[in-house]
Amino acid sequence: MHRHELSDAEWEFVRPLLPRPLRGRKRLDDRMVLNGIVWKFRTGVAWRDVPERYGPWATLHTRFRRWALDGTFERMLQAAQAGADAAGDIDWLVSVDSTVVRAHQHAAGARKGGLRSPALGRSRGGLTSKIHLACDAAGRPLAFTLTGGNTNDCTQFTAVMEAMRVPRVGPGRPRVRPCHVLGDKGYSSRAIRTWLRRRSIGHTIPERADQVRNRLRRGSRGGRPPAFDKQRYRQRNVVERCFNRLKQWRGIATRYDKTAESFQAAVTLASLLMWA
Protein backbone atom coordinates (compact mmCIF):
# COMPACT_ATOMS: atom_id res chain seq x y z
CA MET A 1 0.00 0.00 0.00
CA HIS A 2 1.35 3.41 -1.01
CA ARG A 3 0.99 6.60 0.99
CA HIS A 4 -2.40 8.37 0.66
CA GLU A 5 -4.13 5.19 -0.53
CA LEU A 6 -7.01 3.43 1.18
CA SER A 7 -5.98 1.14 3.99
CA ASP A 8 -7.28 -2.42 3.99
CA ALA A 9 -9.79 -1.48 6.69
CA GLU A 10 -11.03 1.54 4.68
CA TRP A 11 -11.36 -0.57 1.54
CA GLU A 12 -13.36 -3.25 3.35
CA PHE A 13 -15.59 -0.48 4.66
CA VAL A 14 -16.34 1.12 1.28
CA ARG A 15 -16.27 -2.00 -0.93
CA PRO A 16 -19.85 -3.13 -0.14
CA LEU A 17 -21.09 0.43 -0.73
CA LEU A 18 -19.74 0.74 -4.28
CA PRO A 19 -22.18 0.26 -7.18
CA ARG A 20 -21.99 -3.10 -8.92
CA PRO A 21 -20.29 -2.90 -12.32
CA LEU A 22 -22.50 -3.28 -15.35
CA ARG A 23 -22.05 -6.28 -17.62
CA GLY A 24 -19.83 -5.69 -20.59
CA ARG A 25 -16.16 -5.27 -21.31
CA LYS A 26 -13.66 -5.55 -18.50
CA ARG A 27 -12.84 -2.30 -16.74
CA LEU A 28 -10.22 -1.11 -14.26
CA ASP A 29 -10.53 -2.56 -10.77
CA ASP A 30 -12.64 -0.37 -8.48
CA ARG A 31 -10.04 -0.40 -5.71
CA MET A 32 -7.33 0.78 -8.10
CA VAL A 33 -9.56 3.56 -9.42
CA LEU A 34 -10.74 4.64 -5.97
CA ASN A 35 -7.15 4.65 -4.71
CA GLY A 36 -6.24 6.94 -7.59
CA ILE A 37 -9.14 9.28 -6.84
CA VAL A 38 -8.30 9.36 -3.13
CA TRP A 39 -4.60 9.91 -3.90
CA LYS A 40 -5.45 12.82 -6.19
CA PHE A 41 -7.54 14.68 -3.61
CA ARG A 42 -5.33 13.87 -0.63
CA THR A 43 -2.31 15.31 -2.44
CA GLY A 44 -4.07 18.05 -4.42
CA VAL A 45 -2.30 17.28 -7.71
CA ALA A 46 -3.80 17.68 -11.17
CA TRP A 47 -5.53 14.69 -12.74
CA ARG A 48 -2.76 14.38 -15.33
CA ASP A 49 -0.19 14.00 -12.54
CA VAL A 50 -1.80 11.00 -10.83
CA PRO A 51 0.74 8.10 -10.95
CA GLU A 52 0.30 5.61 -13.78
CA ARG A 53 0.00 2.72 -11.31
CA TYR A 54 -3.67 3.74 -10.88
CA GLY A 55 -4.40 3.52 -14.59
CA PRO A 56 -5.01 6.23 -17.21
CA TRP A 57 -5.81 9.56 -15.60
CA ALA A 58 -8.69 10.11 -18.04
CA THR A 59 -10.32 6.88 -16.84
CA LEU A 60 -10.01 7.99 -13.21
CA HIS A 61 -11.51 11.39 -14.03
CA THR A 62 -14.34 9.86 -16.05
CA ARG A 63 -15.25 7.39 -13.30
CA PHE A 64 -15.07 10.13 -10.67
CA ARG A 65 -17.31 12.47 -12.65
CA ARG A 66 -19.80 9.67 -13.31
CA TRP A 67 -19.99 8.79 -9.61
CA ALA A 68 -20.21 12.48 -8.71
CA LEU A 69 -23.09 13.25 -11.07
CA ASP A 70 -25.16 10.11 -10.51
CA GLY A 71 -25.10 10.48 -6.72
CA THR A 72 -22.91 7.43 -5.99
CA PHE A 73 -20.81 9.19 -3.36
CA GLU A 74 -23.92 10.59 -1.62
CA ARG A 75 -25.55 7.15 -1.52
CA MET A 76 -22.38 5.60 -0.11
CA LEU A 77 -22.22 8.23 2.64
CA GLN A 78 -25.89 7.73 3.53
CA ALA A 79 -25.41 3.96 3.65
CA ALA A 80 -22.46 4.36 6.02
CA GLN A 81 -24.49 6.70 8.24
CA ALA A 82 -27.46 4.31 8.20
CA GLY A 83 -25.24 1.45 9.35
CA ALA A 84 -23.82 3.53 12.19
CA ASP A 85 -27.29 4.67 13.25
CA ALA A 86 -28.61 1.08 13.26
CA ALA A 87 -25.71 0.11 15.52
CA GLY A 88 -26.48 3.00 17.89
CA ASP A 89 -23.16 4.61 17.02
CA ILE A 90 -24.45 8.15 16.33
CA ASP A 91 -24.71 10.68 19.15
CA TRP A 92 -27.30 13.18 17.90
CA LEU A 93 -25.79 16.18 19.68
CA VAL A 94 -25.22 18.06 16.42
CA SER A 95 -22.79 20.94 15.90
CA VAL A 96 -23.12 23.35 12.97
CA ASP A 97 -20.49 25.66 11.51
CA SER A 98 -18.80 26.66 8.27
CA THR A 99 -15.30 26.97 6.91
CA VAL A 100 -13.90 29.00 4.03
CA VAL A 101 -11.86 27.28 1.32
CA ARG A 102 -9.52 29.31 -0.85
CA ALA A 103 -10.11 28.64 -4.55
CA HIS A 104 -7.14 28.21 -6.86
CA GLN A 105 -7.14 30.14 -10.13
CA HIS A 106 -7.84 26.84 -11.93
CA ALA A 107 -11.23 26.69 -10.18
CA ALA A 108 -12.47 29.72 -12.12
CA GLY A 109 -13.90 29.65 -15.62
CA ALA A 110 -16.83 27.23 -15.32
CA ARG A 111 -20.18 28.20 -16.79
CA LYS A 112 -22.40 30.00 -14.31
CA GLY A 113 -25.88 28.72 -13.52
CA GLY A 114 -27.39 25.30 -14.12
CA LEU A 115 -25.65 22.02 -13.40
CA ARG A 116 -22.13 23.43 -13.68
CA SER A 117 -22.59 26.28 -11.22
CA PRO A 118 -19.15 26.99 -9.71
CA ALA A 119 -20.35 28.01 -6.17
CA LEU A 120 -17.57 30.59 -5.89
CA GLY A 121 -17.69 33.93 -4.13
CA ARG A 122 -15.31 36.86 -4.08
CA SER A 123 -14.08 38.14 -0.72
CA ARG A 124 -10.98 39.87 0.63
CA GLY A 125 -8.84 36.84 -0.08
CA GLY A 126 -10.07 36.47 -3.64
CA LEU A 127 -12.22 33.62 -4.94
CA THR A 128 -13.44 31.34 -2.16
CA SER A 129 -15.99 28.64 -1.43
CA LYS A 130 -17.62 27.88 1.89
CA ILE A 131 -18.57 24.50 3.36
CA HIS A 132 -21.55 24.70 5.72
CA LEU A 133 -21.58 21.49 7.77
CA ALA A 134 -23.38 19.64 10.56
CA CYS A 135 -21.59 16.84 12.41
CA ASP A 136 -22.44 14.43 15.20
CA ALA A 137 -20.89 14.47 18.68
CA ALA A 138 -17.95 12.41 17.40
CA GLY A 139 -17.11 14.99 14.73
CA ARG A 140 -18.33 12.95 11.75
CA PRO A 141 -20.16 14.81 8.94
CA LEU A 142 -23.92 14.30 8.78
CA ALA A 143 -24.73 16.85 6.07
CA PHE A 144 -23.21 19.85 4.33
CA THR A 145 -23.93 22.44 1.67
CA LEU A 146 -21.54 24.31 -0.60
CA THR A 147 -21.78 28.03 -1.38
CA GLY A 148 -19.63 30.95 -2.35
CA GLY A 149 -17.27 32.14 0.35
CA ASN A 150 -19.15 35.44 0.80
CA THR A 151 -22.38 33.70 1.92
CA ASN A 152 -23.52 34.41 5.47
CA ASP A 153 -23.62 31.35 7.75
CA CYS A 154 -27.14 31.89 9.07
CA THR A 155 -28.65 31.85 5.56
CA GLN A 156 -27.59 28.20 5.14
CA PHE A 157 -28.64 26.87 8.54
CA THR A 158 -32.00 25.44 7.48
CA ALA A 159 -30.50 24.08 4.24
CA VAL A 160 -27.90 22.13 6.22
CA MET A 161 -30.51 20.87 8.68
CA GLU A 162 -32.85 19.77 5.90
CA ALA A 163 -30.00 18.00 4.09
CA MET A 164 -29.47 15.82 7.16
CA ARG A 165 -31.32 12.59 6.31
CA VAL A 166 -29.97 9.33 7.74
CA PRO A 167 -31.89 6.37 6.26
CA ARG A 168 -33.06 3.44 8.36
CA VAL A 169 -31.56 0.04 7.65
CA GLY A 170 -35.01 -1.50 7.97
CA PRO A 171 -38.46 0.04 7.55
CA GLY A 172 -39.10 3.56 8.74
CA ARG A 173 -38.53 7.14 7.75
CA PRO A 174 -35.03 8.62 7.63
CA ARG A 175 -33.75 10.25 10.82
CA VAL A 176 -33.85 14.00 10.24
CA ARG A 177 -34.15 15.52 13.72
CA PRO A 178 -31.19 15.88 16.09
CA CYS A 179 -31.60 15.82 19.85
CA HIS A 180 -29.79 19.12 20.32
CA VAL A 181 -27.98 21.65 18.12
CA LEU A 182 -24.87 23.67 18.99
CA GLY A 183 -23.96 26.77 17.00
CA ASP A 184 -21.84 29.89 17.43
CA LYS A 185 -23.03 33.50 17.42
CA GLY A 186 -23.31 33.51 13.65
CA TYR A 187 -26.50 31.46 14.03
CA SER A 188 -28.07 33.67 16.67
CA SER A 189 -31.20 34.92 14.95
CA ARG A 190 -34.88 34.93 15.80
CA ALA A 191 -35.71 33.03 12.61
CA ILE A 192 -33.32 30.17 13.43
CA ARG A 193 -34.46 29.89 17.05
CA THR A 194 -38.11 29.87 15.93
CA TRP A 195 -37.38 27.21 13.32
CA LEU A 196 -35.78 24.99 15.97
CA ARG A 197 -38.53 25.52 18.56
CA ARG A 198 -41.26 24.62 16.06
CA ARG A 199 -39.53 21.29 15.56
CA SER A 200 -38.94 20.76 19.29
CA ILE A 201 -35.16 20.75 18.80
CA GLY A 202 -33.15 21.97 21.77
CA HIS A 203 -30.33 24.35 20.95
CA THR A 204 -27.41 26.13 22.55
CA ILE A 205 -26.52 29.29 20.62
CA PRO A 206 -25.00 32.34 22.33
CA GLU A 207 -26.46 35.79 21.74
CA ARG A 208 -24.49 38.42 19.88
CA ALA A 209 -23.47 41.51 21.84
CA ASP A 210 -25.76 43.79 19.81
CA GLN A 211 -28.72 41.49 20.49
CA VAL A 212 -28.03 41.62 24.23
CA ARG A 213 -27.86 45.43 24.17
CA ASN A 214 -31.09 45.72 22.19
CA ARG A 215 -32.91 43.38 24.54
CA LEU A 216 -31.72 45.23 27.65
CA ARG A 217 -32.59 48.62 26.13
CA ARG A 218 -36.19 47.52 25.63
CA GLY A 219 -36.51 46.53 29.28
CA SER A 220 -39.38 44.16 30.07
CA ARG A 221 -40.50 44.29 26.44
CA GLY A 222 -37.20 42.78 25.39
CA GLY A 223 -38.19 39.40 26.79
CA ARG A 224 -36.09 36.83 28.56
CA PRO A 225 -32.62 35.88 27.33
CA PRO A 226 -32.44 32.49 25.55
CA ALA A 227 -31.22 29.60 27.68
CA PHE A 228 -27.49 28.98 27.35
CA ASP A 229 -25.54 26.02 28.76
CA LYS A 230 -21.82 26.84 28.93
CA GLN A 231 -20.80 23.26 29.67
CA ARG A 232 -22.68 21.88 26.70
CA TYR A 233 -21.43 24.65 24.42
CA ARG A 234 -17.85 23.51 25.05
CA GLN A 235 -18.60 20.38 23.03
CA ARG A 236 -19.01 22.49 19.89
CA ASN A 237 -15.27 22.16 19.24
CA VAL A 238 -15.93 18.81 17.54
CA VAL A 239 -17.05 20.61 14.38
CA GLU A 240 -13.73 22.47 14.28
CA ARG A 241 -11.91 19.14 14.56
CA CYS A 242 -14.11 17.82 11.77
CA PHE A 243 -13.01 20.65 9.48
CA ASN A 244 -9.37 20.04 10.45
CA ARG A 245 -9.67 16.41 9.36
CA LEU A 246 -11.34 17.35 6.09
CA LYS A 247 -8.63 19.87 5.31
CA GLN A 248 -5.94 17.24 5.74
CA TRP A 249 -6.97 16.53 2.14
CA ARG A 250 -5.04 19.12 0.14
CA GLY A 251 -7.58 18.98 -2.67
CA ILE A 252 -10.23 20.13 -0.18
CA ALA A 253 -8.14 22.65 1.79
CA THR A 254 -7.62 24.39 -1.56
CA ARG A 255 -10.28 24.07 -4.23
CA TYR A 256 -8.99 23.26 -7.71
CA ASP A 257 -12.26 21.95 -9.22
CA LYS A 258 -14.14 24.18 -11.64
CA THR A 259 -17.55 22.69 -10.91
CA ALA A 260 -19.37 22.58 -7.60
CA GLU A 261 -20.38 18.96 -8.32
CA SER A 262 -16.77 17.76 -8.40
CA PHE A 263 -15.75 19.65 -5.28
CA GLN A 264 -18.86 18.47 -3.43
CA ALA A 265 -18.10 14.88 -4.44
CA ALA A 266 -14.56 15.23 -3.07
CA VAL A 267 -15.88 16.52 0.27
CA THR A 268 -18.44 13.69 0.31
CA LEU A 269 -15.71 11.08 -0.30
CA ALA A 270 -13.58 12.49 2.50
CA SER A 271 -16.64 12.57 4.78
CA LEU A 272 -17.38 8.94 3.92
CA LEU A 273 -13.94 7.78 5.02
CA MET A 274 -14.38 9.57 8.35
CA TRP A 275 -17.14 7.05 9.11
CA ALA A 276 -14.84 4.08 8.46
Side-chain angles (χ1 to χ4, degrees):
M1 186 183 72
H2 295 272
R3 189 166 180 246
H4 301 304
E5 292 182 354
L6 296 173
S7 65
D8 290 339
E10 289 175 329
W11 168 245
E12 289 303 318
F13 175 76
V14 301
R15 181 176 58 83
L17 307 177
L18 285 168
R20 294 183 179 181
L22 299 175
R23 293 182 180 180
R25 63 180 184 179
K26 188 177 180 180
R27 66 174 193 173
L28 282 181
D29 178 67
D30 279 338
R31 182 170 187 176
M32 181 188 298
V33 171
L34 195 57
N35 272 333
I37 293 171
V38 169
W39 195 93
K40 179 259 188 292
F41 284 102
R42 279 180 170 167
T43 59
V45 301
W47 284 104
R48 294 176 182 271
D49 297 328
V50 177
E52 294 181 358
R53 62 175 177 266
Y54 301 118
W57 69 267
T59 301
L60 302 183
H61 180 261
T62 299
R63 187 100 44 104
F64 170 75
R65 284 291 294 174
R66 182 188 307 143
W67 286 346
L69 295 176
D70 68 9
T72 294
F73 292 118
E74 286 79 4
R75 288 191 294 270
M76 292 171 67
L77 177 58
Q78 287 188 341
Q81 293 170 345
D85 187 47
D89 188 35
I90 298 182
D91 185 338
W92 286 91
L93 177 63
V94 172
S95 298
V96 184
D97 206 348
S98 71
T99 187
V100 173
V101 175
R102 181 72 179 270
H104 193 269
Q105 60 184 0
H106 293 166
R111 295 197 301 267
K112 296 182 179 179
L115 185 64
R116 294 171 62 85
S117 175
L120 291 172
R122 189 171 295 278
S123 55
R124 291 182 180 179
L127 289 177
T128 54
S129 292
K130 184 177 281 190
I131 303 172
H132 307 262
L133 181 142
C135 69
D136 72 343
R140 297 171 299 186
L142 290 167
F144 70 91
T145 61
L146 185 66
T147 68
N150 55 351
T151 302
N152 194 288
D153 290 357
C154 65
T155 63
Q156 290 296 304
F157 179 83
T158 56
V160 174
M161 289 290 101
E162 290 171 352
M164 190 166 52
R165 298 178 61 85
V166 178
R168 308 285 187 180
V169 173
R173 297 179 179 179
R175 176 74 183 262
V176 297
R177 183 179 301 175
C179 297
H180 200 91
V181 173
L182 306 178
D184 62 16
K185 294 180 179 179
Y187 300 99
S188 179
S189 73
R190 180 178 297 179
I192 288 176
R193 295 184 193 275
T194 301
W195 189 90
L196 290 168
R197 290 192 188 102
R198 287 177 177 174
R199 288 158 180 78
S200 300
I201 301 174
H203 57 279
T204 301
I205 302 174
E207 281 188 296
R208 299 195 309 269
D210 63 310
Q211 293 175 328
V212 175
R213 289 194 301 268
N214 292 337
R215 177 170 49 77
L216 294 177
R217 187 177 65 250
R218 297 184 64 186
S220 59
R221 294 179 300 170
R224 296 178 180 178
F228 181 74
D229 187 338
K230 290 184 179 180
Q231 292 299 117
R232 175 171 279 179
Y233 186 70
R234 290 179 179 177
Q235 300 179 58
R236 199 191 66 83
N237 66 80
V238 297
V239 71
E240 303 295 345
R241 299 204 302 268
C242 176
F243 284 133
N244 288 340
R245 292 180 64 186
L246 284 176
K247 287 188 173 183
Q248 291 298 314
W249 294 51
R250 292 176 180 268
I252 294 176
T254 301
R255 175 179 166 175
Y256 298 95
D257 300 279
K258 289 184 181 295
T259 66
E261 293 77 25
S262 290
F263 186 63
Q264 181 165 342
V267 178
T268 304
L269 176 58
S271 300
L272 169 66
L273 295 179
M274 291 173 64
W275 287 88

